Amino acid sequence: MDEITNKPSKKEAAKEERRRRKELLAGASAAAVSAIAIDQPDPLSSNYGDVELSDLQSKSITGRKWTEVGSIIPELKDQAILIRGRVHTIRPVSKKMAFVAVRERGFTAQCVLNVKPELVSLQMVKFATSLSKESIVDVEGSVLIPVEVQISKLYCVNRAVPTLPINIEDAARSEVEIEQALEKGEQLVRVNQDTRLNFRILDIRTPANQGIFRIQCQVENIFRQFLLSEGFVGIHTPKLIGGSSEGGSAVFRLDYKGQPACLAQSPQLHKQMAVCGDFGRVFEIGPVFRAEDSFTQRHLCEFTGLDAEMEIKEHYSEYLQKTLRLTFAEAVQMLKEAGVAVDPLGDLNTESERNLGQLVAEKYGTEFYILHKYPQAVRPFYTMPCHDNPSYSNSFDVFIRGEEIISGAQRIHVPEFLEKRAGECGIDVKTISTYIDSFRYGAPPHGGFGVGLERVVMLFCTLNNIRKTSLFPRDPQRIAP
């Protein structure tokens, strides 16, 4: 039997030797820089150093022109610029030369520091290499080709701690990169989700997170601009209310100056009241609170709701004509034929929704569809029942890739009927009396919907956890940072 050996191949040995030499060279370079005496007077000391706090206390406006790192282009060749950013990486080459990568809002610029008479001293190079990663610095210099900045002055505005709790380079690494490295036998640092959220300030500096929250900003902006173009009026409703806005147990209850109150589960009641106040069409973008006990990848206790409400003329679906629509009963039948048992008067769980999404994609060739006429028992008390079968309701959900992103319905606008439904759902009518009374003064037929901003962005970006699209997520176990 042949002897089994762990001796590396010639190729692997050569690779390891190159890595070892590179580390030795880098160590030698850093050691050479560190060996520079710092007690020698430096006639160029005004070109670098830590900025005094007194100079950062808004003493004056100098009129200096600042250039954003993302705006450094070849056309600026040989021009003097002033930039501010974070120290992304530092690479000492020798005691006379070092590279400092400066990052600002996701863009980086390579800055080079060379010892030059009357401009850059050995001590200045040493100062640059002593900076900690993520420190804020001001760099003055000229633009070289390819795009690079020749440093002439370097000042530290604010120093980060020498050892960061998580490394930005590690946090920026994707799961694909980590898995590919493992296949090659290399071990890369993986920053887990809880660690990221514990040090969220560092985590959101990564390119991926910078992109996610800029996308989120634009989703919100498009929602607002579209509704404004359609005659909707933006409103702001209270988040402290006397009674439950959705019913159920997922309510944060609190004491409000001796009175029982809760955090709004949605702006539902007040946006309906605004429609009754003759605004006709209203929308709101604001926080929504749910006392969820769900520890899933798609639930939060606080999220951003994109809500709209409007008068309707004849039918709750009069503005939903261009999208594939299936009734809840049709969905149950599709699932049944696929061997998935579903209560025809119950709700769909997460697994059933995903199964349905696959079935719809296979049958209709789309991942975007509307499911309507849900069972009345699984919808909020203010939902209008179907005219031909009160067991079902004039309600709908919108799905993308088997995930619900929008929930809406026609609302009950008759106060006596609304009162009856609230009682049947176990809601103390006295706690929502002002809401019900608003329909006693003449209320138009109306309906609306709610969208979870974080969930939309999660699905749009094909992410696997809603916490990745919440800047500072709140779930059953997290209330900080």
Side-chain angles (χ1 to χ4, degrees), residues 154-191:
L154 175 65
Y155 304 102
C156 185
V157 175
N158 184 263
R159 283 183 181 261
V161 294
T163 304
L164 298 170
I166 60 174
N167 190 308
I168 302 298
E169 292 179 56
D170 293 335
R173 196 174 290 123
S174 69
E175 287 296 318
V176 173
E177 290 178 89
I178 294 172
E179 293 302 323
Q180 288 176 344
L182 285 173
E183 291 174 4
K184 297 176 183 177
E186 300 174 6
Q187 187 75 38
L188 297 177
V189 174
R190 175 186 270 115
V191 184

Side-chain angles (χ1 to χ4, degrees), residues 70-125:
S71 299
I72 301 175
I73 55 178
E75 285 72 18
L76 294 177
K77 182 181 184 297
D78 296 329
Q79 292 187 33
I81 63 170
L82 170 62
I83 62 175
R84 175 172 289 176
R86 294 186 180 279
V87 174
H88 186 60
T89 58
I90 303 170
R91 183 162 61 91
V93 178
S94 69
K95 65 180 181 180
K96 294 184 178 181
M97 183 179 182
F99 289 99
V100 180
V102 176
R103 188 184 77 248
E104 181 188 30
R105 294 197 293 273
F107 294 94
T108 57
Q110 178 166 272
C111 303
V112 61
L113 196 61
N114 296 97
V115 170
K116 290 184 179 180
E118 309 301 322
L119 189 64
V120 176
S121 63
L122 289 170
Q123 289 94 329
M124 185 171 174
V125 175

Side-chain angles (χ1 to χ4, degrees), residues 270-313:
H270 289 89
K271 67 178 181 175
Q272 285 184 258
M273 292 165 75
V275 170
C276 291
D278 280 356
F279 282 105
R281 297 180 170 192
V282 298
F283 75 92
E284 178 172 10
I285 300 172
V288 172
F289 302 92
R290 302 284 172 90
E292 296 277 5
D293 287 325
S294 301
F295 296 88
T296 72
Q297 295 180 338
R298 43 180 231 155
H299 288 94
L300 292 171
C301 291
E302 179 183 351
F303 61 90
T304 302
L306 311 178
D307 281 86
E309 201 77 15
M310 62 186 293
E311 295 181 12
I312 60 177
K313 303 302 182 185

Side-chain angles (χ1 to χ4, degrees), residues 283-449:
F283 75 92
E284 178 172 10
I285 300 172
V288 172
F289 302 92
R290 302 284 172 90
E292 296 277 5
D293 287 325
S294 301
F295 296 88
T296 72
Q297 295 180 338
R298 43 180 231 155
H299 288 94
L300 292 171
C301 291
E302 179 183 351
F303 61 90
T304 302
L306 311 178
D307 281 86
E309 201 77 15
M310 62 186 293
E311 295 181 12
I312 60 177
K313 303 302 182 185
E314 297 176 331
H315 198 286
Y316 72 97
S317 67
E318 58 197 27
Y319 297 99
L320 304 173
Q321 299 296 327
K322 297 180 181 180
T323 304
L324 171 66
R325 289 188 300 155
L326 301 170
T327 66
F328 186 86
E330 289 172 329
V332 169
Q333 185 59 33
M334 287 178 67
L335 288 166
K336 182 179 178 180
E337 291 172 358
V340 180
V342 177
D343 181 355
L345 294 179
D347 205 354
L348 300 181
N349 59 28
T350 301
E351 185 179 355
S352 296
E353 288 180 345
R354 288 175 179 163
N355 287 333
L356 180 62
Q358 293 175 353
L359 295 172
V360 170
E362 292 169 5
K363 185 173 182 178
Y364 297 100
T366 181
E367 294 181 317
F368 182 72
Y369 62 96
I370 295 173
L371 204 59
H372 70 125
K373 293 191 175 181
Y374 273 75
Q376 182 74 358
V378 301
R379 304 303 277 204
F381 72 94
Y382 49 76
T383 306
M384 182 71 80
C386 288
H387 70 95
D388 55 351
N389 188 344
S391 294
Y392 291 89
S393 61
N394 292 345
S395 60
F396 63 91
D397 282 355
V398 179
F399 289 83
I400 295 179
R401 302 192 191 104
E403 298 267 5
E404 174 249 309
I405 58 166
I406 299 175
S407 186
Q410 180 182 358
R411 322 301 188 186
I412 296 173
H413 62 281
V414 179
E416 294 77 16
F417 191 9
L418 194 57
E419 215 167 24
K420 177 175 177 292
R421 281 289 301 146
E424 290 173 349
C425 292
I427 296 174
D428 184 354
V429 177
K430 293 178 182 178
T431 64
I432 56 171
S433 60
T434 54
Y435 161 69
I436 294 176
D437 286 345
S438 67
F439 298 97
R440 302 188 194 279
Y441 317 127
H446 60 279
F449 62 87

